[in-house]
Amino acid sequence: NLTKGEVQPPTFAPDQMKTTTPGSSVFLPHTFTAHTSGTVDFSVASTTATPNLPGWSTQLFLDSNCNGSFDSGEPAITGSVPVGEGSPVCILLRVTAPSGAPMNAQYQALVQALMHYSNSSVTGTLSVTDTVIIANSSSVSLTKKVSANQALPGAVLLYTLTYRNSSAAPVTSLVINDATRSEEHTSELQSHHD
């Protein structure tokens, strides 16, 4: 008697890329979803630092509430994690950069998920690749747009200045100076930030 079944393979995603500053940590979220029961072993299978310098470290945590952020009390992953059909398991990879890491240094970590299917000797391995880049303590970009390329005298033009902090560190002081041409008159100034 041979019993045969077909099971949809699990998924593990996404690859992540984040910035951090020297001596700081960053958390990279991932979701593993199985379509049958079993256990999964998560591990950091390999790492690469460019330039090759010591002091990088990694640790895996369960993201108990699947919010993509580390919350107090979320446990480190130290063994097999049980999985059920369609139930996601959310994890976080914490990467800590060395305090002497130069700007634009990169660190890649290959995170693996080894699925052990219940009542079977079959296993399956999935992986994601995380990249962490050392950036300035704050990395602000600024863009300026105007509502029209041409305008008649007396027409209203809307200028939009957008600034974005693309680093992991908060911007604590930001001053933006912008000028319009002498023949333009400013009648209203609005500020908005997220």
Side-chain angles (χ1 to χ4, degrees), residues 65-188:
N65 57 4
C66 289
N67 68 352
S69 299
F70 180 77
D71 299 308
S72 178
E74 291 185 316
I77 297 174
T78 58
S80 296
V81 177
V83 293
E85 183 177 341
S87 298
V89 174
C90 300
I91 69 166
L92 297 165
L93 173 67
R94 180 181 68 195
V95 175
T96 303
S99 59
M103 292 304 124
N104 299 316
Q106 291 189 22
Y107 185 76
Q108 280 196 332
L110 180 70
V111 181
Q112 284 190 334
L114 174 61
M115 172 78 181
H116 302 273
Y117 295 91
S118 292
N119 303 316
S120 173
S121 61
V122 175
T123 61
T125 303
L126 298 169
S127 62
V128 293
T129 301
D130 289 338
T131 303
V132 175
I133 300 171
I134 299 297
N136 292 327
S137 58
S138 62
S139 181
V140 177
S141 62
L142 179 69
T143 58
K144 180 178 180 177
K145 293 182 181 177
V146 64
S147 60
N149 291 332
Q150 297 179 0
L152 296 173
V156 175
L157 295 175
L158 176 65
Y159 287 89
T160 303
L161 297 174
T162 304
Y163 62 93
R164 182 171 314 279
N165 179 8
S166 59
S167 74
V171 174
T172 56
S173 177
L174 177 67
V175 176
I176 298 174
N177 294 310
D178 187 52
T180 57
R181 294 188 308 240
S182 61
E183 63 270 13
E184 296 175 339
H185 303 286
T186 304
S187 62
E188 184 178 348

Side-chain angles (χ1 to χ4, degrees), residues 25-71:
S25 295
V26 65
F27 288 88
L28 301 108
H30 303 287
T31 303
F32 179 89
T33 305
H35 300 285
T36 188
S37 62
T39 60
V40 62
D41 296 322
F42 295 103
S43 64
V44 178
S46 65
T47 60
T48 305
T50 308
N52 188 10
L53 65 139
W56 293 92
S57 67
T58 60
Q59 188 168 10
L60 291 166
F61 292 88
L62 280 176
D63 183 7
S64 305
N65 57 4
C66 289
N67 68 352
S69 299
F70 180 77
D71 299 308

